[in-house]
Amino acid sequence: LATEHVQLLHNVIVPISRLTGGGGGSIGSGTTIYLDPENLRISSRGGAGSRVDGGTSQLGGAEQGAEGIACFAELIAMNGIFLEHKIESIANNVIVFDVDLVQLRTALAATLQSLGGSGGGDSGARSGPLHNSGEDARNSSFSSRNNTSYSSSSSILVVMKLAKRGGLPCLCLDTSCANGSLDVHHAIPVRILRAEEWQHHLPPLVNAPDVQLEFQLDRPLKAVIERLKNISPHIYVDGSMAGELVLRVENDAVNIRTFYDKLIPRIDDQSEQMQQSQETARCTLKVDSKKLLASLQWQSAMSRGSVSSYIVCMIENEMMVVHVVLNPEDLGFITYYIPVHYISHDDMMD
């Protein structure tokens, strides 16, 4: 990885790690990573890394109310999240493992801090696998600097690989400089899973959305949700394929509505009749304020240039989905699946 790839991976990991929590040394923190020659996929469950006693770990607990939220990210590996990428395994070159995202976030942040700005523009020649579950990885030197050739004495290389440290499988992040002035290593314990176990970590199956609205980055939801959360534990979300969305809270003391208009309806490729029906579709959801806020942490954790746009999908009495499109768009996405409360027809008419 070059410095910009480390920064990009850190930008993606930060909001998901805030959703899951962890950092207390437990490997089973609710996050599973899938690697193959084309993609890196991350599957997380909100609050799964929190302590049983309800406290927070030393490195960082989950956002309040994150329980029940599912998060799924998919990133292009080669020429995307990685500069170079190689997978070797007996399971058709697929590797699946559990990892504590808070520990990975901490290691990435420390790596960026050690790099400073000295290696950001370097793109010199690099060789050797970045991911390898085979015998070479298990027997490889702890320092990747010894196995890599450099195009200049100031080249900096960050290598991420699976290897054994102290007899335990670890996700290793090794930073080396050709002239020996920098040599930093991190080893994060992981639990290797069988490739077929990935089927248990796929995103939830949901029905086709009743309403899909695309937001531009200059119209964030997080700041509004933070204010509404302090007023009510629940938020009603009214969406329309006319490009409108309303956030409302209601109690004995106040009745507040926040309006978004001129949003971009996302209409699927269907028959003309179905498209006309879809254009008039409306949907109302009742969502926990804390859950919705936890699913929007990326709006403050990720830099503006990391995201292209985001789409809010509404499925009546089933799910609210927030789909975050990374920048560039072909790099990948992060999707949050937020459970909702059941609303009867009579409640919708009130």
Side-chain angles (χ1 to χ4, degrees):
L1 297 83
T3 305
E4 57 267 27
H5 297 89
V6 179
Q7 182 66 67
L8 178 58
L9 185 57
H10 180 261
N11 285 344
V12 172
I13 293 296
V14 166
I16 304 177
S17 67
R18 290 182 178 177
L19 185 73
T20 61
S26 173
I27 299 174
S29 62
T31 296
T32 303
I33 290 181
Y34 170 103
L35 284 165
D36 67 20
E38 287 78 36
N39 298 292
L40 180 152
R41 299 184 177 104
I42 303 172
S43 178
S44 294
R45 301 184 305 276
S50 299
R51 284 171 22 187
V52 177
D53 60 7
T56 57
S57 63
Q58 182 178 0
L59 294 178
E63 289 288 330
Q64 290 186 345
E67 296 81 4
I69 300 172
C71 181
F72 189 87
E74 181 170 313
L75 307 167
I76 298 298
M78 183 64 72
N79 297 320
I81 199 71
F82 302 121
L83 185 64
E84 297 181 30
H85 177 62
K86 185 178 181 181
I87 289 286
E88 294 178 0
S89 81
I90 60 175
N92 295 321
N93 293 330
V94 170
I95 299 175
V96 180
F97 58 90
D98 287 340
V99 65
D100 187 324
L101 272 197
V102 173
Q103 292 186 12
L104 179 55
R105 180 189 77 194
T106 303
L108 290 169
T111 298
L112 288 169
Q113 186 175 11
S114 66
L115 289 174
S118 59
D122 175 60
S123 58
R126 296 167 172 84
S127 62
L130 297 186
H131 292 269
N132 190 338
S133 66
E135 196 67 27
D136 290 342
R138 290 192 290 270
N139 297 330
S140 64
S141 168
F142 192 75
S143 172
S144 61
R145 178 169 51 87
N146 296 330
N147 300 319
T148 308
S149 59
Y150 296 84
S151 60
S152 74
S153 61
S154 61
S155 295
I156 292 180
L157 176 69
V158 179
V159 174
M160 180 181 289
K161 61 185 177 183
L162 283 170
K164 283 195 174 182
R165 298 292 180 254
L168 298 175
C170 291
L171 181 64
C172 300
L173 199 62
D174 299 340
T175 306
S176 302
C177 184
N179 59 16
S181 61
L182 182 65
D183 207 10
V184 181
H185 309 283
H186 299 274
I188 305 160
V190 300
R191 179 186 295 118
I192 304 298
L193 305 177
R194 298 189 304 273
E196 55 268 24
E197 292 185 65
W198 177 248
Q199 64 180 319
H200 305 301
H201 303 278
L202 295 173
L205 293 176
V206 296
N207 290 314
D210 299 295
V211 172
Q212 298 183 90
L213 298 171
E214 181 177 348
F215 285 70
Q216 298 303 310
L217 297 183
D218 57 357
R219 307 188 76 179
L221 288 170
K222 180 174 179 287
V224 175
I225 300 300
E226 282 180 327
R227 295 186 180 95
L228 296 180
K229 178 181 71 70
N230 296 325
I231 300 172
S232 173
H234 304 112
I235 295 177
Y236 288 89
V237 183
D238 302 316
S240 165
M241 288 298 284
E244 300 171 342
L245 186 128
V246 180
L247 303 173
R248 57 185 172 93
V249 295
E250 301 172 352
N251 57 37
D252 295 337
V254 296
N255 189 324
I256 299 176
R257 284 172 166 77
T258 303
F259 296 86
Y260 291 83
D261 62 359
K262 299 180 180 179
L263 303 176
I264 304 172
R266 296 292 294 259
I267 300 177
D268 298 329
D269 294 332
Q270 297 174 336
S271 67
E272 182 176 350
Q273 182 177 359
M274 293 184 68
Q275 285 188 6
Q276 291 177 351
S277 174
Q278 207 173 31
E279 289 172 359
T280 60
R282 306 185 65 88
C283 183
T284 297
L285 301 178
K286 181 182 180 181
V287 189
D288 285 350
S289 306
K290 291 181 179 179
K291 292 188 188 301
L292 185 51
L293 182 59
S295 301
L296 295 171
Q297 290 302 315
W298 59 269
Q299 293 192 345
S300 58
M302 300 181 70
S303 61
R304 186 180 180 90
S306 300
V307 178
S308 174
S309 63
Y310 66 103
I311 303 168
V312 173
C313 305
M314 304 173 62
I315 308 160
E316 185 175 298
N317 284 332
E318 182 177 349
M319 195 80 68
M320 180 174 180
V321 180
V322 178
H323 183 71
V324 184
V325 182
L326 300 178
N327 185 31
E329 292 185 5
D330 59 356
L331 174 62
F333 59 83
I334 307 173
T335 304
Y336 295 86
Y337 297 84
I338 311 160
V340 300
H341 293 271
Y342 179 81
I343 307 177
S344 67
H345 180 73
D346 292 338
D347 291 336
M348 291 184 185
M349 296 300 292
D350 289 343

